[in-house]
Amino acid sequence: MRVFCASIATETNTFSPLRTDFTDFEQSFYAAPGDHPETPTLCSAVFPALRKRARAGDIELVEGTATWAEPGGLVNARTWARLRDEVLDQLRAALPVDAVVLGLHGAMIADGCVDCEGVLIEAVRQITGPKTKIGVTFDPHSHLSARRVENADVITVFKEFPHTDFAETGENCVDLTLRAARSEITPTLSVFDVRMIDVLPTSRAPMRGFVDKMLALEADGSALSISTIHGFMAGDSPDLGAKIIVISDGNQNAGDKLAHDLGMELFSFRGTTKPEFLTVEDALTAANDAKTGPVVIADVWDNPGGGVAGDSTILLRAALDMKLKSLALATIWDPMAVRLCHAAGEGAQLDLRFGGKTSAFAGAPIDATVTVMKIANDAVQSFGASVVPLGDCAVIHIDGIDVVLNSNRSQAFSPDLFTNLGIDIRSRKILVVKSTNHFHGAFASVASEILYAAVNGPYPNDPTQTKYTRLTRPLWPIAANPFEVENA
């Protein structure tokens, strides 16, 4: 059996002041055919899963490009055309193939193309013909279009948020796609539009129980696979919103019913899923008053994983104004400040302006005399089995607070973001991370408490106020009951 695989992935915040080009893909992750590492990245876990089967002699594997850009703004047209054509040309050269497996994100939007993944999957179908089986993995913070469903045979989506199951999702996609190519199963897709957009962390109820239910239904044979698309509220897409995907073994009616029932259960959770979001002052006060540490505060909206810059100074300035000590913050994206710190060297004191460069809504730059505590080239952090680049970094100390400055944008995933740069987290009372929920899996075991701070900035975090231009159907919370609106 001959199998082709490739991965093009990013998450596009169409309201971000940033723009995304090929340099962003190169800086984050770019692997030419055959160069993918043995460890998976978030959206390319299908590569090591397929390699394992190739080593076992089950398949002949032809690898294409694998690339990922840190979530950002609109992808420019040239970059999208280059990556799309690169992969499609590789596929043409690999023909004939029995199966194609793609590791995608699902929320990529380019200048002139609002459904990049749908266009890519459709083109793969046109090139390979109707008999080739096509399997795809998505991040749940994505947009599920009809074009994608019509052209893919298998779609699997990370169930967890934080996405701790990305490797398992790749394995499941590979398993189902190869079984379909051997005619052992007839994967049949059923999709239900939940008509809502919300923050759906699976580390807490009710989503924790919902994911466990999906896993139980797969285990008892009710479906080959069950996935939830959460949607990505910062993407202006006509397909915005949550959806349920059920893959049955040739049983469309049963799959449709199960998707409907799960979808309506998910809809019943609206407005109840996210943790309590505190103001900056309340979060910092609560953390400072805690008897034990470290208390972790998540700056949920200045999250580079949502496509913003991650250079907001609002929370840090509040901490400085409150004269808090024993606090470490990661990260503030500022390549220029990093360069100046590297030039100064470890132990140097300098007057530094940092942060607040990319948006009028992320606070003003901070001007301060700082001490350079640590500099590092090509720093990294871990996310499960994946290695996440931070680029060149510097740790600066200012009035009792340590701040990690980085040159490659990335949200916080793991405590080793701090420890790799010499910060002893157990000696700090407060840790501030820029992340919505991906930090939770790794930080929960070291945190005495986790708090969430809602710092309004460039991220569009209220769908009722966001100026969507492409949405063509009612969604909660924009509509109180979108199903009634549609049927009216």
Side-chain angles (χ1 to χ4, degrees), residues 294-324:
V295 176
V296 174
I297 300 176
D299 185 346
V300 295
W301 298 132
D302 192 46
N303 171 18
V308 297
D311 69 347
S312 171
T313 60
I314 295 172
L315 197 150
L316 175 59
R317 189 175 294 279
L320 291 168
D321 290 344
M322 295 170 65
K323 302 187 184 315
L324 299 184

Short mmCIF file of all heavy atoms in Angstrom, two decimals, residues 294-324:
data_model
loop_
_atom_site.label_atom_id
_atom_site.label_comp_id
_atom_site.label_asym_id
_atom_site.label_seq_id
_atom_site.Cartn_x
_atom_site.Cartn_y
_atom_site.Cartn_z
N PRO A 294 3.80 28.13 43.87
CA PRO A 294 3.45 29.28 43.06
C PRO A 294 1.99 29.25 42.60
O PRO A 294 1.47 28.19 42.26
CB PRO A 294 4.38 29.13 41.85
CG PRO A 294 4.59 27.65 41.73
CD PRO A 294 4.58 27.11 43.13
N VAL A 295 1.36 30.43 42.60
CA VAL A 295 0.05 30.59 41.98
C VAL A 295 0.28 30.95 40.52
O VAL A 295 1.07 31.85 40.21
CB VAL A 295 -0.77 31.69 42.68
CG1 VAL A 295 -2.09 31.92 41.96
CG2 VAL A 295 -0.99 31.34 44.14
N VAL A 296 -0.39 30.24 39.63
CA VAL A 296 -0.25 30.51 38.20
C VAL A 296 -1.42 31.38 37.75
O VAL A 296 -2.59 31.06 38.00
CB VAL A 296 -0.22 29.20 37.39
CG1 VAL A 296 -0.25 29.49 35.88
CG2 VAL A 296 1.01 28.39 37.74
N ILE A 297 -1.10 32.50 37.11
CA ILE A 297 -2.12 33.37 36.51
C ILE A 297 -1.99 33.28 35.01
O ILE A 297 -0.92 33.53 34.45
CB ILE A 297 -1.95 34.83 36.96
CG1 ILE A 297 -2.08 34.97 38.47
CG2 ILE A 297 -2.98 35.72 36.27
CD1 ILE A 297 -1.82 36.38 38.98
N ALA A 298 -3.07 32.92 34.33
CA ALA A 298 -3.07 32.87 32.87
C ALA A 298 -3.62 34.18 32.32
O ALA A 298 -4.74 34.58 32.64
CB ALA A 298 -3.94 31.71 32.38
N ASP A 299 -2.81 34.86 31.52
CA ASP A 299 -3.26 36.03 30.77
C ASP A 299 -3.92 35.47 29.51
O ASP A 299 -3.27 35.24 28.49
CB ASP A 299 -2.06 36.92 30.44
CG ASP A 299 -2.44 38.22 29.75
OD1 ASP A 299 -3.59 38.34 29.29
OD2 ASP A 299 -1.58 39.11 29.66
N VAL A 300 -5.23 35.23 29.59
CA VAL A 300 -5.89 34.36 28.60
C VAL A 300 -6.03 34.98 27.22
O VAL A 300 -6.08 34.27 26.21
CB VAL A 300 -7.27 33.90 29.10
CG1 VAL A 300 -7.14 33.04 30.33
CG2 VAL A 300 -8.19 35.08 29.37
N TRP A 301 -6.10 36.31 27.13
CA TRP A 301 -6.38 36.91 25.82
C TRP A 301 -5.13 37.44 25.11
O TRP A 301 -5.16 37.63 23.90
CB TRP A 301 -7.43 38.01 25.94
CG TRP A 301 -8.76 37.54 26.43
CD1 TRP A 301 -9.51 38.09 27.42
CD2 TRP A 301 -9.53 36.43 25.95
NE1 TRP A 301 -10.68 37.39 27.61
CE2 TRP A 301 -10.72 36.35 26.71
CE3 TRP A 301 -9.32 35.45 24.97
CZ2 TRP A 301 -11.69 35.38 26.52
CZ3 TRP A 301 -10.29 34.47 24.77
CH2 TRP A 301 -11.46 34.45 25.54
N ASP A 302 -4.04 37.67 25.84
CA ASP A 302 -2.79 38.04 25.15
C ASP A 302 -2.01 36.77 24.86
O ASP A 302 -0.84 36.61 25.23
CB ASP A 302 -1.96 39.01 25.99
CG ASP A 302 -0.84 39.61 25.16
OD1 ASP A 302 -1.10 40.03 24.01
OD2 ASP A 302 0.30 39.67 25.64
N ASN A 303 -2.66 35.86 24.20
CA ASN A 303 -2.16 34.51 23.96
C ASN A 303 -1.67 34.40 22.52
O ASN A 303 -2.49 34.42 21.59
CB ASN A 303 -3.27 33.51 24.25
CG ASN A 303 -2.92 32.10 23.83
OD1 ASN A 303 -1.75 31.77 23.63
ND2 ASN A 303 -3.93 31.26 23.68
N PRO A 304 -0.35 34.26 22.29
CA PRO A 304 0.13 34.08 20.92
C PRO A 304 -0.51 32.89 20.21
O PRO A 304 -0.61 32.87 18.98
CB PRO A 304 1.63 33.88 21.09
CG PRO A 304 1.95 34.55 22.38
CD PRO A 304 0.75 34.32 23.26
N GLY A 305 -0.97 31.90 20.99
CA GLY A 305 -1.66 30.76 20.40
C GLY A 305 -2.99 31.11 19.80
O GLY A 305 -3.60 30.31 19.09
N GLY A 306 -3.49 32.32 20.07
CA GLY A 306 -4.71 32.81 19.44
C GLY A 306 -4.45 33.79 18.31
O GLY A 306 -5.37 34.42 17.81
N GLY A 307 -3.17 33.93 17.94
CA GLY A 307 -2.85 34.75 16.78
C GLY A 307 -2.51 36.19 17.07
O GLY A 307 -2.34 36.98 16.14
N VAL A 308 -2.42 36.58 18.36
CA VAL A 308 -2.00 37.94 18.69
C VAL A 308 -0.50 37.93 18.98
O VAL A 308 0.14 36.88 19.07
CB VAL A 308 -2.79 38.52 19.87
CG1 VAL A 308 -4.27 38.63 19.53
CG2 VAL A 308 -2.60 37.67 21.13
N ALA A 309 0.05 39.14 19.16
CA ALA A 309 1.50 39.25 19.26
C ALA A 309 2.06 38.66 20.55
O ALA A 309 3.15 38.11 20.57
CB ALA A 309 1.92 40.72 19.14
N GLY A 310 1.32 38.81 21.64
CA GLY A 310 1.87 38.37 22.92
C GLY A 310 2.85 39.36 23.50
O GLY A 310 3.77 38.99 24.23
N ASP A 311 2.66 40.66 23.16
CA ASP A 311 3.57 41.68 23.72
C ASP A 311 2.83 42.67 24.62
O ASP A 311 3.32 43.77 24.87
CB ASP A 311 4.31 42.41 22.60
CG ASP A 311 3.42 43.30 21.74
OD1 ASP A 311 2.18 43.18 21.84
OD2 ASP A 311 3.96 44.12 20.98
N SER A 312 1.66 42.27 25.14
CA SER A 312 0.91 43.15 26.04
C SER A 312 1.69 43.37 27.33
O SER A 312 2.27 42.45 27.91
CB SER A 312 -0.45 42.54 26.37
OG SER A 312 -1.10 43.28 27.39
N THR A 313 1.65 44.60 27.78
CA THR A 313 2.32 44.97 29.04
C THR A 313 1.32 45.26 30.16
O THR A 313 1.72 45.65 31.26
CB THR A 313 3.17 46.23 28.82
OG1 THR A 313 2.32 47.29 28.37
CG2 THR A 313 4.26 45.98 27.79
N ILE A 314 0.03 45.10 29.89
CA ILE A 314 -1.00 45.55 30.83
C ILE A 314 -0.88 44.85 32.18
O ILE A 314 -0.87 45.49 33.24
CB ILE A 314 -2.40 45.34 30.23
CG1 ILE A 314 -2.58 46.23 28.99
CG2 ILE A 314 -3.49 45.65 31.25
CD1 ILE A 314 -3.85 45.96 28.20
N LEU A 315 -0.77 43.53 32.17
CA LEU A 315 -0.70 42.79 33.43
C LEU A 315 0.62 43.07 34.15
O LEU A 315 0.64 43.25 35.37
CB LEU A 315 -0.88 41.30 33.16
CG LEU A 315 -1.24 40.43 34.37
CD1 LEU A 315 -2.07 39.24 33.94
CD2 LEU A 315 0.00 39.95 35.10
N LEU A 316 1.72 43.13 33.42
CA LEU A 316 3.01 43.41 34.04
C LEU A 316 3.03 44.79 34.67
O LEU A 316 3.52 44.97 35.79
CB LEU A 316 4.13 43.28 33.02
CG LEU A 316 5.53 43.65 33.51
CD1 LEU A 316 5.95 42.79 34.70
CD2 LEU A 316 6.55 43.52 32.38
N ARG A 317 2.48 45.78 33.98
CA ARG A 317 2.47 47.13 34.54
C ARG A 317 1.64 47.18 35.82
O ARG A 317 2.00 47.86 36.78
CB ARG A 317 1.92 48.12 33.51
CG ARG A 317 2.08 49.58 33.94
CD ARG A 317 1.64 50.52 32.84
NE ARG A 317 2.49 50.45 31.69
CZ ARG A 317 3.67 51.07 31.58
NH1 ARG A 317 4.13 51.77 32.60
NH2 ARG A 317 4.38 50.97 30.48
N ALA A 318 0.52 46.44 35.84
CA ALA A 318 -0.29 46.39 37.06
C ALA A 318 0.50 45.78 38.21
O ALA A 318 0.44 46.26 39.36
CB ALA A 318 -1.57 45.61 36.81
N ALA A 319 1.26 44.72 37.94
CA ALA A 319 2.07 44.08 38.98
C ALA A 319 3.15 45.03 39.50
O ALA A 319 3.43 45.08 40.70
CB ALA A 319 2.71 42.81 38.44
N LEU A 320 3.74 45.80 38.59
CA LEU A 320 4.75 46.77 39.00
C LEU A 320 4.12 47.88 39.85
O LEU A 320 4.68 48.29 40.88
CB LEU A 320 5.44 47.36 37.77
CG LEU A 320 6.36 46.41 36.99
CD1 LEU A 320 6.75 47.03 35.65
CD2 LEU A 320 7.60 46.07 37.80
N ASP A 321 2.95 48.34 39.41
CA ASP A 321 2.27 49.40 40.17
C ASP A 321 1.88 48.92 41.57
O ASP A 321 1.86 49.71 42.53
CB ASP A 321 1.02 49.87 39.42
CG ASP A 321 1.36 50.65 38.16
OD1 ASP A 321 2.52 51.09 38.02
OD2 ASP A 321 0.46 50.81 37.30
N MET A 322 1.56 47.61 41.68
CA MET A 322 1.19 47.05 42.99
C MET A 322 2.42 46.68 43.81
O MET A 322 2.29 46.18 44.93
CB MET A 322 0.30 45.82 42.79
CG MET A 322 -1.05 46.15 42.15
SD MET A 322 -2.00 44.66 41.65
CE MET A 322 -2.32 43.90 43.24
N LYS A 323 3.61 46.87 43.21
CA LYS A 323 4.89 46.58 43.88
C LYS A 323 4.99 45.11 44.32
O LYS A 323 5.49 44.80 45.42
CB LYS A 323 5.12 47.52 45.06
CG LYS A 323 5.13 49.00 44.67
CD LYS A 323 5.52 49.89 45.83
CE LYS A 323 5.43 51.36 45.47
NZ LYS A 323 6.00 51.73 44.15
N LEU A 324 4.50 44.22 43.49
CA LEU A 324 4.58 42.79 43.79
C LEU A 324 6.01 42.30 43.58
O LEU A 324 6.73 42.77 42.70
CB LEU A 324 3.62 42.01 42.90
CG LEU A 324 2.13 42.36 43.04
CD1 LEU A 324 1.29 41.44 42.17
CD2 LEU A 324 1.68 42.26 44.49
#
